Amino acid sequence: MRQEYVEKLNEERLRGVGNLPVFPFNDNSGLTKREYIATQLLASLINTHGDIDLASKTAVKYADSLIKELNSK
């Protein structure tokens, strides 16, 4: 049970950091870091997978993994 709780907290933290703007403006609008990373990955993954649904899910998974790794340093 504790492990599930810790994983949930880590996921919430990841989403929090990933939802910060990548190119902030005065009103903090624009793409989030998570969205920006995912769109960059998606362009390549569509060519690799050919399936937009699979490529989209994979891009988000990779974006989350990259944000998590960057936060661990």
Coordinates of all heavy atoms in Angstrom, one line a residue:
M1 N 0.8 -1.2 0.0 CA 0.0 0.0 0.0 C 0.9 1.3 0.0 O 0.6 2.2 -0.7 CB -0.9 0.0 1.2 CG -2.0 1.0 1.2 SD -3.2 0.7 -0.1 CE -4.5 1.6 0.5
R2 N 1.9 1.3 0.8 CA 2.8 2.4 0.9 C 3.5 2.7 -0.5 O 3.6 3.8 -0.9 CB 3.8 2.3 2.0 CG 4.8 3.4 2.0 CD 5.6 3.5 3.3 NE 6.8 4.3 3.3 CZ 6.8 5.6 3.1 NH1 5.7 6.2 2.9 NH2 7.9 6.3 3.1
Q3 N 3.9 1.6 -1.1 CA 4.5 1.8 -2.4 C 3.6 2.5 -3.4 O 4.0 3.3 -4.2 CB 5.0 0.4 -2.9 CG 5.7 0.5 -4.3 CD 7.0 1.3 -4.2 OE1 7.7 1.4 -3.2 NE2 7.4 1.8 -5.3
E4 N 2.4 2.1 -3.4 CA 1.4 2.7 -4.3 C 1.2 4.2 -4.0 O 1.1 5.0 -4.9 CB 0.0 2.0 -4.2 CG 0.0 0.6 -4.8 CD -1.3 -0.1 -4.5 OE1 -2.3 0.6 -4.1 OE2 -1.4 -1.3 -4.6
Y5 N 1.2 4.5 -2.7 CA 1.1 5.9 -2.3 C 2.3 6.7 -2.8 O 2.1 7.8 -3.3 CB 0.9 6.0 -0.8 CG 0.8 7.4 -0.3 CD1 -0.3 8.1 -0.4 CD2 1.9 7.9 0.4 CE1 -0.4 9.4 0.1 CE2 1.8 9.2 0.9 CZ 0.7 10.0 0.7 OH 0.6 11.2 1.2
V6 N 3.5 6.2 -2.6 CA 4.7 6.8 -3.0 C 4.7 7.0 -4.5 O 5.0 8.1 -5.0 CB 5.9 6.1 -2.6 CG1 7.2 6.6 -3.2 CG2 6.0 6.1 -1.0
E7 N 4.3 6.0 -5.3 CA 4.3 6.1 -6.7 C 3.3 7.2 -7.2 O 3.5 7.9 -8.1 CB 3.9 4.8 -7.4 CG 5.1 3.8 -7.3 CD 4.7 2.4 -7.8 OE1 3.6 2.3 -8.4 OE2 5.5 1.5 -7.6
K8 N 2.1 7.3 -6.5 CA 1.1 8.3 -6.8 C 1.7 9.7 -6.6 O 1.5 10.6 -7.4 CB -0.2 8.0 -6.0 CG -1.2 9.0 -6.4 CD -2.5 8.8 -5.6 CE -3.5 9.8 -6.1 NZ -4.6 10.0 -5.2
L9 N 2.3 9.9 -5.4 CA 2.9 11.2 -5.1 C 4.0 11.5 -6.1 O 4.1 12.7 -6.6 CB 3.6 11.1 -3.7 CG 2.6 11.2 -2.6 CD1 3.4 11.1 -1.2 CD2 1.7 12.4 -2.6
N10 N 4.8 10.6 -6.5 CA 5.9 10.8 -7.5 C 5.3 11.2 -8.9 O 5.8 12.1 -9.6 CB 6.8 9.6 -7.7 CG 7.7 9.5 -6.5 OD1 8.0 10.4 -5.8 ND2 8.2 8.3 -6.3
E11 N 4.2 10.6 -9.2 CA 3.5 10.9 -10.5 C 2.9 12.3 -10.5 O 3.0 13.0 -11.4 CB 2.4 9.8 -10.8 CG 1.8 10.0 -12.1 CD 0.8 8.9 -12.5 OE1 1.1 7.8 -12.1 OE2 -0.2 9.3 -13.0
E12 N 2.3 12.6 -9.3 CA 1.7 14.0 -9.2 C 2.8 15.0 -9.3 O 2.7 16.1 -9.9 CB 1.0 14.1 -7.9 CG -0.3 13.3 -7.9 CD -1.0 13.3 -6.5 OE1 -0.5 14.0 -5.6 OE2 -2.1 12.6 -6.4
R13 N 4.0 14.8 -8.6 CA 5.1 15.7 -8.7 C 5.6 15.8 -10.1 O 5.9 16.9 -10.6 CB 6.2 15.2 -7.8 CG 7.4 16.1 -7.8 CD 8.4 15.7 -6.7 NE 9.6 16.4 -6.8 CZ 10.7 16.1 -7.5 NH1 10.7 14.9 -8.1 NH2 11.8 16.9 -7.6
L14 N 5.8 14.7 -10.8 CA 6.2 14.7 -12.2 C 5.3 15.6 -13.1 O 5.7 16.4 -13.8 CB 6.2 13.3 -12.7 CG 6.4 13.1 -14.2 CD1 7.8 13.6 -14.6 CD2 6.2 11.6 -14.6
R15 N 4.0 15.4 -12.9 CA 3.0 16.1 -13.7 C 3.1 17.6 -13.3 O 3.0 18.5 -14.2 CB 1.6 15.6 -13.4 CG 1.4 14.2 -13.8 CD 0.4 14.0 -14.9 NE 0.1 12.6 -15.1 CZ 0.7 11.9 -16.0 NH1 1.5 12.4 -16.8 NH2 0.4 10.6 -16.2
G16 N 3.4 17.9 -12.1 CA 3.5 19.3 -11.7 C 4.6 20.0 -12.4 O 4.5 21.1 -12.9
V17 N 5.8 19.4 -12.3 CA 7.0 19.9 -13.0 C 6.8 20.0 -14.5 O 7.1 20.9 -15.2 CB 8.3 19.2 -12.6 CG1 9.4 19.6 -13.5 CG2 8.5 19.3 -11.1
G18 N 6.2 18.9 -15.0 CA 6.0 18.8 -16.5 C 5.0 19.8 -17.0 O 4.9 20.1 -18.2
N19 N 4.2 20.3 -16.1 CA 3.2 21.3 -16.5 C 3.6 22.7 -16.4 O 2.8 23.7 -16.7 CB 1.9 21.1 -15.7 CG 1.2 19.8 -16.1 OD1 1.2 19.4 -17.3 ND2 0.5 19.2 -15.2
L20 N 4.9 23.0 -16.1 CA 5.4 24.3 -16.1 C 5.6 24.7 -17.6 O 5.9 23.9 -18.4 CB 6.7 24.4 -15.4 CG 6.7 24.1 -13.9 CD1 8.1 24.1 -13.3 CD2 5.9 25.2 -13.2
P21 N 5.5 26.0 -17.9 CA 5.6 26.4 -19.3 C 7.0 26.3 -19.8 O 8.0 26.6 -19.1 CB 5.2 27.9 -19.3 CG 5.2 28.3 -17.9 CD 5.1 27.1 -17.0
V22 N 7.2 25.9 -21.0 CA 8.5 25.7 -21.6 C 9.1 27.0 -22.1 O 10.3 27.3 -21.9 CB 8.5 24.6 -22.7 CG1 7.8 25.1 -23.9 CG2 9.9 24.2 -23.1
F23 N 8.3 27.9 -22.6 CA 8.7 29.2 -23.0 C 7.7 30.2 -22.4 O 6.8 30.7 -23.0 CB 8.6 29.3 -24.6 CG 9.5 28.3 -25.3 CD1 8.9 27.4 -26.1 CD2 10.9 28.3 -25.2 CE1 9.7 26.5 -26.8 CE2 11.6 27.4 -25.8 CZ 11.0 26.5 -26.6
P24 N 7.9 30.5 -21.1 CA 6.9 31.3 -20.4 C 6.9 32.7 -20.9 O 7.9 33.3 -21.3 CB 7.4 31.3 -19.0 CG 8.9 30.9 -19.0 CD 9.1 30.1 -20.3
F25 N 5.6 33.2 -21.0 CA 5.4 34.6 -21.4 C 4.9 35.3 -20.1 O 4.9 34.7 -19.0 CB 4.3 34.6 -22.4 CG 4.6 34.0 -23.7 CD1 4.2 32.7 -24.0 CD2 5.5 34.6 -24.6 CE1 4.5 32.0 -25.2 CE2 5.9 33.9 -25.8 CZ 5.4 32.6 -26.1
N26 N 4.5 36.6 -20.2 CA 4.1 37.3 -19.1 C 2.9 36.6 -18.3 O 2.8 36.7 -17.1 CB 3.7 38.7 -19.5 CG 4.8 39.5 -19.9 OD1 6.0 39.3 -19.5 ND2 4.6 40.5 -20.7
D27 N 2.0 36.0 -19.1 CA 0.9 35.3 -18.4 C 1.1 33.8 -18.3 O 0.2 33.1 -17.9 CB -0.4 35.6 -19.2 CG -0.3 35.1 -20.6 OD1 0.7 34.5 -21.0 OD2 -1.4 35.1 -21.3
N28 N 2.3 33.3 -18.5 CA 2.7 31.9 -18.3 C 1.8 31.0 -19.2 O 1.6 29.9 -18.9 CB 2.5 31.4 -16.9 CG 3.7 31.9 -16.0 OD1 4.8 32.2 -16.5 ND2 3.4 32.1 -14.7
S29 N 1.5 31.5 -20.4 CA 0.7 30.7 -21.3 C 1.7 30.0 -22.3 O 2.9 30.2 -22.2 CB -0.2 31.5 -22.2 OG 0.5 32.5 -22.9
G30 N 1.2 29.1 -23.1 CA 2.0 28.4 -24.0 C 2.1 26.9 -23.7 O 1.4 26.4 -22.8
L31 N 2.9 26.2 -24.4 CA 3.1 24.8 -24.2 C 3.8 24.5 -22.9 O 4.7 25.2 -22.4 CB 4.0 24.1 -25.3 CG 3.4 24.0 -26.7 CD1 4.4 23.5 -27.6 CD2 2.2 23.1 -26.7
T32 N 3.4 23.4 -22.2 CA 4.1 23.0 -21.0 C 5.3 22.2 -21.5 O 5.5 21.8 -22.6 CB 3.2 22.1 -20.2 OG1 2.9 20.8 -20.9 CG2 1.9 22.7 -19.8
K33 N 6.2 22.0 -20.5 CA 7.4 21.2 -20.8 C 7.0 19.8 -21.3 O 7.6 19.3 -22.2 CB 8.3 21.1 -19.6 CG 8.9 22.4 -19.2 CD 9.8 22.3 -17.9 CE 10.4 23.6 -17.6 NZ 11.3 23.5 -16.4
R34 N 6.1 19.3 -20.6 CA 5.6 17.9 -21.0 C 5.1 17.9 -22.4 O 5.4 17.0 -23.2 CB 4.6 17.5 -20.0 CG 4.1 16.0 -20.1 CD 3.2 15.7 -18.9 NE 2.8 14.3 -19.0 CZ 1.6 13.9 -19.1 NH1 0.6 14.8 -19.2 NH2 1.3 12.7 -19.2
E35 N 4.2 18.9 -22.7 CA 3.6 18.9 -24.1 C 4.7 19.1 -25.1 O 4.7 18.5 -26.2 CB 2.6 20.0 -24.2 CG 1.4 19.8 -23.4 CD 0.5 21.0 -23.2 OE1 1.0 22.2 -23.4 OE2 -0.7 20.9 -22.9
Y36 N 5.7 20.0 -24.8 CA 6.7 20.3 -25.8 C 7.6 19.1 -26.1 O 7.8 18.7 -27.2 CB 7.6 21.4 -25.3 CG 8.7 21.8 -26.2 CD1 8.5 22.5 -27.4 CD2 10.0 21.4 -26.0 CE1 9.5 22.8 -28.3 CE2 11.1 21.7 -26.8 CZ 10.8 22.4 -28.0 OH 11.8 22.7 -28.8
I37 N 8.0 18.4 -25.0 CA 8.8 17.2 -25.2 C 8.0 16.1 -26.0 O 8.5 15.5 -26.9 CB 9.2 16.6 -23.8 CG1 10.2 17.6 -23.2 CG2 9.9 15.2 -24.0 CD1 10.5 17.2 -21.7
A38 N 6.7 15.9 -25.6 CA 5.9 14.9 -26.3 C 5.7 15.3 -27.8 O 5.8 14.4 -28.6 CB 4.6 14.8 -25.6
T39 N 5.6 16.5 -28.1 CA 5.4 16.9 -29.6 C 6.7 16.6 -30.3 O 6.6 16.2 -31.5 CB 4.9 18.3 -29.8 OG1 5.9 19.2 -29.2 CG2 3.6 18.6 -29.2
Q40 N 7.8 16.9 -29.7 CA 9.1 16.6 -30.4 C 9.3 15.1 -30.6 O 9.7 14.7 -31.7 CB 10.2 17.2 -29.5 CG 10.2 18.7 -29.4 CD 10.2 19.4 -30.7 OE1 11.2 19.3 -31.5 NE2 9.2 20.2 -30.9
L41 N 8.9 14.3 -29.6 CA 9.0 12.9 -29.8 C 8.0 12.4 -30.8 O 8.3 11.4 -31.6 CB 8.8 12.2 -28.4 CG 9.9 12.4 -27.4 CD1 9.4 12.0 -26.0 CD2 11.1 11.5 -27.8
L42 N 6.8 12.9 -30.8 CA 5.7 12.4 -31.6 C 6.1 12.5 -33.1 O 5.8 11.5 -33.9 CB 4.5 13.2 -31.4 CG 3.2 12.8 -32.1 CD1 2.9 11.3 -31.8 CD2 2.0 13.7 -31.8
A43 N 6.8 13.5 -33.5 CA 7.1 13.7 -34.9 C 8.0 12.5 -35.4 O 7.7 11.9 -36.5 CB 7.9 15.0 -35.1
S44 N 8.9 12.1 -34.6 CA 9.7 10.9 -34.9 C 9.0 9.6 -34.8 O 9.1 8.7 -35.7 CB 11.0 10.9 -34.1 OG 11.7 9.8 -34.3
L45 N 8.2 9.5 -33.7 CA 7.5 8.2 -33.5 C 6.5 7.9 -34.5 O 6.2 6.7 -34.8 CB 6.9 8.2 -32.1 CG 7.9 8.2 -30.9 CD1 7.3 8.5 -29.6 CD2 8.7 6.9 -30.9
I46 N 5.8 8.9 -35.1 CA 4.8 8.6 -36.1 C 5.5 7.9 -37.3 O 4.9 7.0 -37.9 CB 4.1 9.9 -36.6 CG1 3.2 10.4 -35.5 CG2 3.3 9.7 -37.9 CD1 2.6 11.7 -35.7
N47 N 6.7 8.4 -37.7 CA 7.4 7.7 -38.8 C 7.8 6.3 -38.4 O 7.8 5.4 -39.3 CB 8.6 8.6 -39.2 CG 8.3 9.8 -39.8 OD1 7.2 9.9 -40.5 ND2 9.1 10.9 -39.6
T48 N 8.1 6.1 -37.2 CA 8.6 4.8 -36.7 C 7.4 3.8 -36.6 O 7.5 2.7 -37.1 CB 9.3 4.9 -35.4 OG1 10.4 5.8 -35.5 CG2 9.8 3.5 -34.9
H49 N 6.4 4.2 -35.9 CA 5.2 3.3 -35.6 C 4.2 3.3 -36.7 O 3.5 2.3 -37.0 CB 4.6 3.7 -34.3 CG 5.5 3.5 -33.1 ND1 5.9 2.2 -32.7 CD2 6.0 4.3 -32.2 CE1 6.7 2.3 -31.7 NE2 6.7 3.6 -31.3
G50 N 3.9 4.4 -37.4 CA 2.9 4.5 -38.4 C 1.5 4.6 -37.8 O 0.5 4.9 -38.4
D51 N 1.3 4.3 -36.5 CA 0.1 4.3 -35.8 C 0.0 5.5 -34.9 O 0.8 5.5 -33.9 CB -0.1 3.0 -35.0 CG -1.4 2.9 -34.2 OD1 -2.1 3.9 -34.1 OD2 -1.6 1.8 -33.7
I52 N -0.8 6.5 -35.1 CA -0.9 7.7 -34.4 C -1.2 7.5 -32.9 O -0.7 8.1 -32.0 CB -1.8 8.7 -35.0 CG1 -1.7 10.1 -34.3 CG2 -3.3 8.3 -35.0 CD1 -0.4 10.8 -34.5
D53 N -2.1 6.5 -32.6 CA -2.5 6.3 -31.2 C -1.3 5.7 -30.5 O -1.0 6.1 -29.3 CB -3.7 5.3 -31.2 CG -5.0 5.9 -31.7 OD1 -5.1 7.2 -31.5 OD2 -5.8 5.2 -32.2
L54 N -0.6 4.7 -31.0 CA 0.5 4.1 -30.4 C 1.7 5.2 -30.3 O 2.3 5.3 -29.2 CB 1.0 2.9 -31.2 CG 2.3 2.3 -30.7 CD1 2.1 1.8 -29.2 CD2 2.7 1.1 -31.6
A55 N 1.9 6.0 -31.3 CA 2.9 7.0 -31.3 C 2.6 8.0 -30.2 O 3.5 8.5 -29.4 CB 3.1 7.6 -32.6
S56 N 1.4 8.4 -30.1 CA 1.0 9.4 -29.1 C 1.2 8.9 -27.6 O 1.8 9.6 -26.8 CB -0.5 9.8 -29.2 OG -0.7 10.4 -30.5
K57 N 0.8 7.7 -27.4 CA 0.9 7.1 -26.1 C 2.4 7.0 -25.7 O 2.8 7.2 -24.6 CB 0.2 5.8 -26.0 CG -1.3 5.9 -25.9 CD -2.0 4.5 -26.0 CE -3.5 4.7 -26.1 NZ -4.2 3.5 -26.2
T58 N 3.2 6.5 -26.7 CA 4.6 6.3 -26.5 C 5.3 7.7 -26.2 O 6.2 7.8 -25.4 CB 5.2 5.6 -27.7 OG1 4.6 4.4 -27.9 CG2 6.7 5.3 -27.5
A59 N 4.9 8.7 -27.0 CA 5.5 10.0 -26.8 C 5.3 10.6 -25.4 O 6.2 11.1 -24.8 CB 5.0 11.0 -27.9
V60 N 4.1 10.4 -24.9 CA 3.8 10.9 -23.5 C 4.5 10.1 -22.5 O 5.1 10.6 -21.6 CB 2.3 10.9 -23.3 CG1 1.9 11.1 -21.8 CG2 1.5 11.9 -24.2
K61 N 4.6 8.8 -22.7 CA 5.4 7.9 -21.8 C 6.8 8.3 -21.8 O 7.4 8.4 -20.7 CB 5.2 6.5 -22.2 CG 6.0 5.5 -21.4 CD 5.8 4.1 -21.9 CE 6.6 3.1 -21.1 NZ 6.5 1.7 -21.7
Y62 N 7.4 8.6 -22.9 CA 8.8 9.0 -23.0 C 9.0 10.3 -22.4 O 10.1 10.6 -21.7 CB 9.3 8.9 -24.4 CG 9.5 7.6 -25.0 CD1 9.9 7.5 -26.4 CD2 9.4 6.4 -24.3 CE1 10.1 6.2 -27.0 CE2 9.6 5.2 -24.9 CZ 9.9 5.1 -26.2 OH 10.1 3.8 -26.8
A63 N 8.1 11.3 -22.6 CA 8.2 12.6 -22.1 C 8.2 12.5 -20.5 O 9.0 13.2 -19.9 CB 7.1 13.5 -22.6
D64 N 7.3 11.8 -20.0 CA 7.2 11.6 -18.5 C 8.5 11.0 -18.0 O 9.0 11.4 -17.0 CB 6.0 10.7 -18.1 CG 4.7 11.4 -18.3 OD1 4.7 12.7 -18.5 OD2 3.7 10.7 -18.2
S65 N 9.1 10.0 -18.7 CA 10.3 9.4 -18.3 C 11.5 10.3 -18.3 O 12.3 10.4 -17.4 CB 10.6 8.2 -19.2 OG 11.8 7.6 -18.8
L66 N 11.5 11.2 -19.3 CA 12.6 12.2 -19.4 C 12.5 13.2 -18.3 O 13.5 13.5 -17.7 CB 12.6 12.9 -20.8 CG 13.6 14.0 -21.0 CD1 15.0 13.4 -20.8 CD2 13.5 14.6 -22.3
I67 N 11.3 13.7 -18.0 CA 11.1 14.7 -17.0 C 11.5 14.0 -15.6 O 12.2 14.7 -14.8 CB 9.7 15.2 -16.9 CG1 9.4 16.0 -18.2 CG2 9.4 16.0 -15.7 CD1 7.9 16.4 -18.4
K68 N 11.1 12.8 -15.4 CA 11.5 12.1 -14.2 C 13.0 12.0 -14.0 O 13.5 12.3 -12.9 CB 10.8 10.7 -14.2 CG 11.0 9.9 -12.9 CD 10.3 8.6 -13.0 CE 10.6 7.8 -11.7 NZ 9.9 6.5 -11.8
E69 N 13.6 11.6 -15.1 CA 15.1 11.5 -15.0 C 15.8 12.8 -14.8 O 16.7 12.9 -14.0 CB 15.6 10.8 -16.3 CG 17.1 10.6 -16.4 CD 17.6 9.6 -15.3 OE1 16.8 8.7 -14.9 OE2 18.8 9.7 -14.9
L70 N 15.3 13.8 -15.5 CA 15.9 15.2 -15.3 C 15.7 15.7 -13.9 O 16.6 16.3 -13.3 CB 15.3 16.2 -16.3 CG 15.7 15.9 -17.7 CD1 14.9 16.9 -18.6 CD2 17.2 16.2 -18.0
N71 N 14.6 15.3 -13.2 CA 14.4 15.8 -11.9 C 15.2 15.0 -10.8 O 15.3 15.4 -9.7 CB 12.9 15.6 -11.5 CG 12.1 16.7 -12.2 OD1 12.5 17.8 -12.5 ND2 10.8 16.4 -12.5
S72 N 15.7 13.8 -11.2 CA 16.4 13.0 -10.3 C 17.9 13.5 -10.1 O 18.6 13.0 -9.2 CB 16.4 11.6 -10.7 OG 17.2 11.3 -11.8
K73 N 18.3 14.4 -11.0 CA 19.7 14.8 -11.0 C 19.9 16.0 -10.0 O 19.1 16.8 -9.8 CB 20.2 15.2 -12.4 CG 20.1 14.1 -13.4 CD 21.0 13.0 -13.1 CE 20.8 11.9 -14.1 NZ 21.4 10.7 -13.7

